[in-house]
Amino acid sequence: MHKNKAYLNCLQREQAQELWYQKLTECGFFKNLPRETILVGDARGRVTASSIYAKQSVPHYNGAAMDGIAVWASDTFGAQENEPKRLTLLTEEQTFSSDCCYVVDTGDLMPLGTNAVVMVEDVYFVDGGAEIIAAVAPWQHVRIIGEDIVANELVLPEHHVISPVDIAALLAAGVEEIEVLSKPKVAVIPTGDEIVATCKELKPGVILDVNSHMLSAAVAEWGGEPVRMNIVKDNIHGIKRAIFASLQVNDMVIVNAGTSAGREDYTSTVLSELGEVLVHGVAIKPGKPVILAICQGKPVIGLPGYPVSAMLTAELFIRNVLVARQKLPPYEEDKIEAALVKQIASTLGVEEYVRVSVGNVQGKMVAAPLSRGAGLISSLTKAQGIIRVGRGNLGLAAGTVLPVNLLHKAKPANTILAVGSHDLALELLGVFLRRRRENVYLSCANVGSMGGIMAIANNEAHIAGIHLLDEETGQYNKAQMEKYLPNKNLHLVHFAMRQQGLMVLPNNPKEIEGLKDLTRPEITYINRQRGSGTRMLLDYELKKSTIHSSQIRGYEKEVGTHMAVAASVIAGAADTGLGVQAAAHALGLDFIPVSQEQYDLILNFSTDDEHMNIIIDILQSPEFRYEVESLGGYDLRDAGKLIHFSKEN
């Protein structure tokens, strides 16, 4: 068995980037760039390899700039509306002489002997002649040769990104083919015994290769030409052969996975044999195991296997290298200042990147951290921005105002933030909202009912889903809203009655019948996080049944959503967990009802914001009710009903 080395170093991100660019510059990666000749019509977005000069003038003849009559300008002098001047109309075959004219259309070649055009609006055609009521100056309404571009004049400089209007200018100047910088060819090599290429090959213990597709698309977006290779298994000789072969025909090689220090992580060893490993390990999270190497004068990057880590390290160490290689403008991210909805814990000495949703809540820009984890692909698709936690911090407190790098041209002003209890139907509300307002996006941060109430209290959310039972009255949500959210202009609107119960594997192999079975020593449980309405409901039902939480194996193990509970059960990580029936239905689990509960929305919108009325209208619509109730376990007969309205004093 081959023994791998531990990390060669663990540089700070700035040090790693500086060393990376320095070595790439020294090996000439950014100089003497290859070129190719392409048709001008195919050149949008490409970069000129050298300056381009006009092959002909634009226009290349003297042409009429207006519909009207072509004249010798001095023949028109003195003409005015109350004293029109008459000119003789000539045909194309007739030779020009004084006090004559020709009919011309815009773009026509100016007839010999003429030097101006009288607009048709100032001409009356009478008995084979033309009466004009306005004089023109020499070359008025005429596009003269070279007025726009003169032959041999510079049209575009070198290293210019070609736009649609540039294409028009080049073609007009007689340029049909141009030399552009060749797109860097980038090989993407997925590695690992645990990955497969198609869904048909999936089974327990193996995962689908999605990273190579994601990275290839990113390379293309950054102007490169991706070459996605076949999966290479965890074999040092196979990995070495794949990298060596890719180096022969590509400008850059990306190796995905195998970059850590495990027993089957061979990337660092292989790159050391093929060239020089500059960096193995950067003090960032996620993405620490990144490898930066130069082999045969070309950059080779080893990216971690988890999707979030792979994408982050590609953005940090590949994107700007590809952009610089093509002489494209540096990538610039839009930034805003926003307040954190909840605190973030971090590791001292490590620079951490956290993806967030961003929205403007009544004039306050806020950022809601998404679920963290190097393998959470959903955080990549839902994120609208990234925040950076400096290596000198142990974390950031809720309410901290800090810079947010916006992603995907995100528009916080068009984002509605839903922060609170998770519910599958909230995602459907977002779908229906987009149907009503195409530019509006609903972003959900699942922090539990109490987390949602606190977010509303701090003006850090537009919507909070809650289902909090008052044990004294047996009522839901109103008492908590009155207690924690006094003196605010808020609406508590009913969303649905939903069924909560225990989710178990199909056919219920452990024969779980109710909460009393959670005390059996062989039964393992998966719980929701503290502050969630589902956790509070469980505690309430346990108290009614005189069951202590210490009797439940797994009570302390927490996840953040109903779907995460269902996924834990289907994966065998737990025998059961409390959640909504729709989550059980979605993953094909059996469901044992425990309690029906009330799920409501707190709406926090200004009085002139139309979105609240749109949301209520959606909740009351038959189409929305049908789709939600089809999920299973929902009753929307009173959806959209106003339960409580609190007013600012």
Side-chain angles (χ1 to χ4, degrees):
M1 180 176 67
H2 184 88
K3 185 177 180 181
N4 267 324
K5 298 178 181 179
Y7 297 121
L8 295 180
N9 44 34
C10 195
L11 298 181
Q12 302 299 340
R13 189 249 317 154
E14 301 95 326
Q15 294 174 305
Q17 288 176 326
E18 183 178 354
L19 177 61
W20 185 224
Y21 279 87
Q22 175 190 332
K23 292 296 184 179
L24 289 175
T25 301
E26 289 174 1
C27 72
F29 185 71
F30 303 116
K31 292 183 177 180
N32 302 319
L33 303 178
R35 307 175 174 200
E36 61 179 312
T37 300
I38 64 172
L39 294 174
V40 167
D42 298 329
R44 185 188 64 82
R46 301 299 296 272
V47 179
T48 57
S50 57
S51 297
I52 302 174
Y53 296 87
K55 292 185 177 181
Q56 64 184 27
S57 295
V58 181
H60 61 278
Y61 63 92
N62 294 332
M66 296 282 183
D67 294 343
I69 57 173
V71 298
W72 184 253
S74 61
D75 291 341
T76 69
F77 294 169
Q80 50 189 319
E81 194 163 356
N82 59 354
E83 285 187 38
K85 190 164 186 178
R86 184 181 179 89
L87 301 176
T88 302
L89 275 175
L90 300 178
T91 64
E92 293 180 4
E93 295 79 16
Q94 293 177 297
T95 303
F96 182 80
S97 60
S98 180
D99 290 329
C100 292
C101 63
Y102 298 91
V103 175
V104 291
D105 295 321
T106 301
D108 283 352
L109 173 68
M110 290 292 291
L112 188 65
T114 62
N115 68 352
V117 173
V118 179
M119 293 189 300
V120 69
E121 292 91 336
D122 296 327
V123 178
Y124 295 93
F125 296 101
V126 180
D127 300 327
E131 288 188 351
I132 59 173
I133 59 173
V136 289
W139 305 110
Q140 188 172 348
H141 304 316
V142 177
R143 294 197 67 207
I144 62 175
I145 294 174
E147 176 186 80
D148 191 355
I149 299 171
V150 177
N152 299 315
E153 181 182 355
L154 178 69
V155 181
L156 296 178
E158 68 174 357
H159 302 162
H160 175 84
V161 182
I162 298 171
S163 69
V165 294
D166 294 331
I167 290 174
L170 289 168
L171 292 172
V175 180
E176 297 179 335
E177 292 183 336
I178 56 169
E179 270 196 334
V180 295
L181 297 180
S182 298
K183 292 187 175 186
K185 292 183 67 175
V186 183
V188 180
I189 306 174
T191 71
D193 291 337
E194 75 284 3
I195 60 173
V196 294
T198 66
C199 291
K200 293 180 180 179
E201 301 171 80
L202 282 177
K203 60 182 179 180
V206 299
I207 58 175
L208 196 64
D209 167 36
V210 298
N211 284 1
S212 69
H213 296 272
M214 174 182 72
L215 294 170
S216 294
V219 166
E221 186 173 282
W222 301 331
E225 181 182 329
V227 181
R228 194 169 58 84
M229 312 300 288
N230 292 329
I231 295 170
V232 180
K233 297 301 181 183
D234 285 324
N235 175 282
I236 190 168
H237 302 295
I239 294 173
K240 187 174 183 178
R241 283 193 300 271
I243 296 174
F244 181 82
S246 296
L247 284 168
Q248 309 313 303
V249 293
N250 294 283
D251 302 302
M252 174 188 285
V253 177
I254 298 172
V255 184
N256 187 219
T259 63
S260 193
R263 63 180 184 176
E264 292 185 339
D265 291 328
Y266 300 123
T267 303
S268 177
T269 300
V270 168
L271 296 183
S272 296
E273 294 174 0
L274 292 174
E276 179 186 6
V277 173
L278 306 173
V279 176
H280 185 193
V282 179
I284 57 175
K285 182 180 181 181
K288 177 182 176 181
V290 66
I291 300 172
L292 307 176
I294 294 180
C295 303
Q296 300 179 18
K298 299 177 180 180
V300 183
I301 305 96
L303 300 181
Y306 284 120
V308 179
S309 299
M311 195 62 202
L312 175 65
T313 47
E315 290 169 342
L316 291 176
F317 298 104
I318 296 176
R319 178 174 62 193
N320 288 337
V321 169
L322 286 178
V323 166
R325 162 88 172 191
Q326 300 168 85
K327 309 302 181 184
L328 291 167
Y331 188 89
E332 294 182 1
E333 295 175 322
D334 293 331
K335 290 187 178 182
I336 61 168
E337 297 277 317
L340 281 178
V341 169
K342 64 177 181 179
Q343 72 173 37
I344 295 175
S346 189
T347 304
L348 193 64
V350 174
E351 183 180 61
E352 185 163 3
Y353 293 80
V354 181
R355 295 179 186 265
V356 295
S357 293
V358 186
N360 187 322
V361 182
Q362 299 205 28
K364 180 180 180 180
M365 200 65 70
V366 297
L370 298 171
S371 298
R372 295 152 77 184
L376 298 179
I377 297 176
S378 61
S379 70
L380 293 174
T381 60
K382 294 178 180 179
Q384 295 172 301
I386 295 180
I387 60 174
R388 184 179 62 85
V389 183
R391 53 182 173 268
N393 292 309
L394 283 170
L396 298 171
T400 301
V401 177
L402 74 171
V404 179
N405 291 336
L406 295 179
L407 302 172
H408 318 304
K409 304 295 183 183
K411 298 195 178 296
N414 295 338
T415 299
I416 294 178
L417 277 181
V419 180
S421 173
H422 170 252
D423 191 275
L424 280 70
L426 269 181
E427 304 291 344
L428 275 179
L429 178 61
V431 172
F432 274 74
L433 191 58
R434 288 291 294 274
R435 292 176 185 173
R436 301 284 186 96
R437 292 290 185 273
E438 290 185 0
N439 63 335
V440 174
Y441 174 74
L442 178 67
S443 179
C444 300
N446 306 313
V447 298
S449 294
M450 285 306 302
I453 283 181
M454 293 301 101
I456 294 289
N458 296 323
N459 257 355
E460 293 169 347
H462 300 98
I463 299 173
I466 61 172
H467 54 117
L468 296 170
L469 177 65
D470 183 356
E471 295 185 13
E472 293 183 3
T473 65
Q475 293 183 336
Y476 274 89
N477 303 325
K478 183 178 177 181
Q480 285 80 0
M481 184 172 171
E482 291 175 339
K483 177 179 179 181
Y484 294 106
L485 300 171
N487 305 323
K488 284 182 69 69
N489 288 320
L490 301 170
H491 294 77
L492 181 65
V493 174
H494 181 57
F495 191 104
M497 298 300 295
R498 62 182 193 179
Q499 193 68 246
Q500 289 260 30
L502 295 173
M503 294 182 267
V504 297
L505 289 174
N507 301 317
N508 195 4
K510 295 294 181 75
E511 298 181 344
I512 297 170
E513 297 180 355
L515 295 178
K516 66 181 186 303
D517 290 307
L518 302 184
T519 62
R520 287 160 46 190
E522 74 275 16
I523 300 298
T524 57
Y525 186 77
I526 183 73
N527 210 347
R528 287 292 305 280
Q529 79 273 31
R530 292 175 179 84
S532 69
T534 300
R535 175 73 164 259
M536 294 179 179
L537 175 63
L538 173 68
D539 292 342
Y540 173 71
E541 294 293 337
L542 292 178
K543 183 178 179 181
K544 282 173 42 179
S545 302
T546 64
I547 298 173
H548 194 273
S549 61
S550 62
Q551 298 175 263
I552 301 175
R553 184 177 164 207
Y555 177 88
E556 70 287 346
K557 187 175 181 181
E558 301 176 354
V559 293
T561 67
H562 296 285
M563 289 302 293
V565 173
S568 297
V569 174
I570 200 76
D575 294 316
T576 188
L578 190 67
V580 295
Q581 185 177 346
H585 183 264
L587 292 189
L589 295 171
D590 283 0
F591 184 78
I592 303 162
V594 170
S595 175
Q596 189 180 53
E597 65 171 7
Q598 183 174 324
Y599 184 84
D600 299 325
L601 300 181
I602 303 174
L603 302 182
N604 178 28
F605 292 95
S606 59
T607 53
D608 59 348
D609 194 326
E610 65 173 351
H611 291 116
M612 184 176 72
N613 290 332
I614 293 173
I615 290 170
I616 292 174
D617 188 54
I618 291 171
L619 294 177
Q620 295 174 341
S621 69
E623 298 84 5
F624 183 72
R625 176 178 179 179
Y626 173 79
E627 288 210 28
V628 174
E629 291 184 347
S630 296
L631 297 173
Y634 289 97
D635 181 351
L636 270 72
R637 71 184 69 183
D638 293 322
K641 179 180 178 181
L642 179 64
I643 298 171
H644 181 68
F645 171 65
S646 62
K647 191 172 183 180
E648 187 174 4
N649 291 337

